[in-house]
Amino acid sequence: MTPRPGARSASRGASLLAVLLAVSCGRSGEGPANVILLVVDTLRADRLGCYGYARATSPHIDSLAARGTLYRSCRAQGTWTGPSMISMLTGLYVSDEEERLPAGHPVLGELLQAAGFTTAAFAGNPILTADRGMARGFDYYEGPIPGGCSARVFDRFRGWYEQSRAVRSAERGFFVWLHVADPHTPYEPAERFRRFTGQPLPGEEALCERWRQLEPEPPAAPRQGKGLTFEQAVALIRAEGNLYDSEVLAADWAVGELLRFLEEQGELERTLFMLASDHGEELYEHAKYPQDLRVWSRQSPTGMGDNVKDLLEWAHGSCFHEEVWRVPLLFAGPGFPAGVRRDGLAANLDILPTVLDALGLDPPPGLPGESLLGGVVPARRQVFGYSRRAAAVYDARGLKFVDRRRKRDIYPEWARGSEEGAALQELFDLNDDPSELQNVLDQRPQAAAALCRTLDRWFEETARDVDRRLSDADREALRQLGYLNGW
């Protein structure tokens, strides 16, 4: 384990054992018999009907939202699975390249296991391995499940449910974490879910206009290879967007199957069901960071066509655009009103304290999250996020500050001169610019400076010893998912 400079020791405060004992002796009170945390990997909030999407990608999730409480403005704590899931399971922020669950802090499975729940987890993402600590607190852990699609993950849960009847706690029910990999890349939905093939994307006309403005000037040198025309590039982007929506539809179908199974078993009404995501997905809505474009153009100075993935942001990992950072969050079941939509700044950090509160259990001390039990509006004014060598803070007033200065070690040419160094920061006002097309850093330097100081304080306050070790298998899984490319 390599500590950050100035990192506080994890040994400070209550020991893990003391925390688990305190939780197991928590407050008395009525609560749900079971808890299910369903994490749909890479799910954008704005691709669900209950969040206003024009396509019918999510009828079952929409029905679930109708019988529960939905949070319109929730942020993940990381823009890729590693930091986001470490944060979700611990209830802590991640502010460093932490690769494993922190050994000195209890995780959600351990807290509920100590309280008498039978615990199980079924993980479809290949980086969610026991080696990274993801099996902690689970009586049964299966992962990574090959393929990771929701139908396969839910089948494994159903098999466990039937086989574990005799050993499940009679006094307490079960806590199950389900993590499904669709709609993560590669987008490979079953044929029956490919209902949008060839259709224009919702809002595509406006996107095309944006893409035309982003297309670089024709290069002086002849283009290498065949390349793509602008229209062919648009067709590629449309095809990937349609496949993504089809993956969302596939995950939604499996959610419907799961809910029907729970109802057949008499478990649905007594189960607290939570749907969340670790992050969203870029689908070519934004130009890559200006410095990226300079680097790419020097390497291969061609137009938008054959470099569409170099010129426009796609997938996820380091960007904090709303398509990636804003995620769905909904609760349905005991303790939550039906058909309620809440504003306020929610976070995946709130999941752990909410579960404990719903079960009448006391949380570990010092958690930054809030309990949302009863569908309360979050009280926080700011939320933070971390991704490799980049971080962001979002203010409830609508200001978002993104700091990419930590990327200087990747492309040293970015940091030549103060002007380029400063340009590695961005400030967006989502009130006036919800699509995040205008960096207003120069127009609002005082607001940017204040948020930069806030971000620096956050790094200091959240610093802790972290474990950066990766096994060869974990490193290969990260590489296959695209997380190590360019890092």
Side-chain angles (χ1 to χ4, degrees):
M1 298 175 67
T2 306
R4 283 170 51 97
R8 295 178 299 223
S9 171
S11 64
R12 294 183 183 178
S15 69
L16 176 58
L17 177 59
V19 171
L20 293 175
L21 288 174
V23 170
S24 65
C25 300
R27 307 184 312 275
S28 61
E30 295 296 325
N34 311 305
V35 176
I36 291 181
L37 171 61
L38 170 60
V39 180
V40 182
D41 205 301
T42 322
L43 179 60
R44 289 171 50 152
D46 66 354
R47 291 305 243 248
L48 300 175
C50 52
Y51 280 88
Y53 196 43
R55 278 181 171 172
T57 55
S58 56
H60 298 104
I61 294 175
D62 299 345
S63 296
L64 183 67
R67 56 179 292 267
T69 302
L70 177 148
Y71 285 85
R72 293 189 179 99
S73 185
C74 178
R75 299 301 184 282
Q77 276 53 75
T79 61
W80 66 284
T81 303
S84 186
M85 290 313 303
I86 290 173
S87 178
M88 191 185 299
L89 295 176
T90 62
L92 299 173
Y93 274 117
V94 171
S95 60
D96 203 342
E97 294 182 28
E98 196 165 8
E99 300 293 353
R100 299 164 183 251
L101 288 172
H105 188 85
V107 297
L108 183 56
E110 290 173 329
L111 295 170
L112 298 193
Q113 189 181 54
F117 283 83
T118 302
T119 58
F122 305 85
N125 187 304
I127 74 167
L128 300 175
T129 62
D131 182 61
R132 296 165 72 95
M134 296 299 167
R136 281 174 49 189
F138 292 106
D139 302 313
Y140 180 84
Y141 186 86
E142 187 171 356
I145 295 171
C149 70
S150 50
R152 188 170 299 174
V153 171
F154 293 165
D155 279 343
R156 303 296 177 88
F157 161 71
R158 282 189 284 259
W160 168 84
Y161 180 90
E162 297 290 355
Q163 296 171 9
S164 64
R165 288 182 187 272
V167 298
R168 290 204 298 269
S169 170
E171 181 181 352
R172 291 285 199 178
F174 59 79
F175 164 59
V176 170
W177 165 34
L178 301 167
H179 193 111
V180 302
D182 38 14
H184 197 291
T185 52
Y187 311 138
E188 297 175 340
E191 193 63 36
R192 61 185 171 133
F193 297 117
R194 300 190 181 205
R195 300 181 187 174
F196 311 111
T197 303
Q199 298 180 22
L201 297 168
E204 185 177 296
E205 185 175 343
L207 282 174
C208 280
E209 179 59 30
R210 192 188 307 177
W211 294 332
R212 287 191 183 279
Q213 294 175 7
L214 296 175
E215 188 173 20
E217 294 295 324
R223 291 170 63 93
Q224 301 297 317
K226 295 181 179 180
L228 299 176
T229 65
F230 182 85
E231 289 71 22
Q232 289 171 329
V234 170
L236 181 153
I237 292 169
R238 177 189 299 164
E240 291 214 355
N242 286 333
L243 286 173
Y244 178 89
D245 284 353
S246 298
E247 290 266 28
V248 174
L249 184 64
D252 180 80
W253 174 85
V255 170
E257 293 295 295
L258 174 64
L259 295 175
R260 276 191 289 272
F261 175 77
L262 293 173
E263 188 170 22
E264 290 169 359
Q265 303 302 316
E267 302 281 16
L268 186 59
E269 295 302 321
R270 61 196 216 114
T271 297
L272 173 57
F273 196 103
M274 298 169 290
L275 184 136
S277 182
D278 51 350
H279 53 77
E281 186 84 315
E282 292 266 24
L283 291 168
Y284 307 100
E285 289 94 348
H286 298 275
K288 277 189 180 290
Y289 199 70
Q291 276 76 11
D292 294 39
L293 292 178
R294 294 192 196 118
V295 173
W296 288 178
S297 64
R298 285 195 292 270
Q299 292 176 351
S300 180
T302 62
M304 176 174 169
D306 52 358
N307 277 331
V308 65
K309 291 190 177 183
D310 289 340
L311 298 176
L312 296 170
E313 297 285 5
W314 64 284
H316 56 271
S318 61
C319 292
F320 282 93
H321 291 127
E322 289 295 274
E323 291 84 3
V324 172
W325 202 11
R326 178 174 173 247
V327 290
L329 180 64
L330 65 91
F331 300 86
F336 285 89
V340 171
R341 303 291 182 269
R342 293 297 191 217
D343 293 314
L345 194 51
N348 283 350
L349 288 168
D350 301 331
I351 290 172
L352 187 148
T354 299
V355 171
L356 297 181
D357 197 11
L359 298 172
L361 303 172
D362 293 320
L367 294 183
E370 307 174 29
S371 171
L372 304 179
L373 185 64
V376 301
V377 177
R380 69 170 51 82
R381 302 302 302 164
Q382 292 176 328
V383 67
F384 301 86
Y386 174 79
S387 189
R388 292 179 188 268
R389 303 178 181 88
V393 54
Y394 179 68
D395 192 284
R397 295 170 298 176
L399 292 177
K400 178 196 292 186
F401 178 76
V402 182
D403 186 354
R404 300 179 184 232
R405 291 173 300 173
R406 293 168 181 79
K407 277 192 160 187
R408 292 184 182 186
D409 57 331
I410 305 177
Y411 299 115
E413 59 264 47
W414 286 7
R416 290 176 186 162
S418 59
E419 181 179 350
E420 284 199 0
L424 291 172
Q425 298 175 341
E426 296 172 302
L427 179 68
F428 297 104
D429 188 337
L430 270 63
N431 296 308
D432 299 329
D433 180 24
S435 297
E436 300 173 280
L437 301 180
Q438 183 63 43
N439 180 7
V440 296
L441 187 80
D442 293 339
Q443 294 93 313
R444 305 177 70 171
Q446 292 182 336
L451 288 172
C452 186
R453 290 192 297 269
T454 298
L455 198 58
D456 289 341
R457 285 195 301 271
W458 173 75
F459 270 105
E460 293 177 3
E461 293 167 357
T462 58
R464 63 174 177 267
D465 291 350
V466 301
D467 190 339
R468 296 190 179 92
R469 292 174 299 161
L470 278 175
S471 68
D472 291 341
D474 288 334
R475 191 172 296 278
E476 180 58 28
L478 288 167
R479 186 173 291 107
Q480 290 179 5
L481 291 171
Y483 289 137
L484 290 184
N485 296 340
W487 286 344

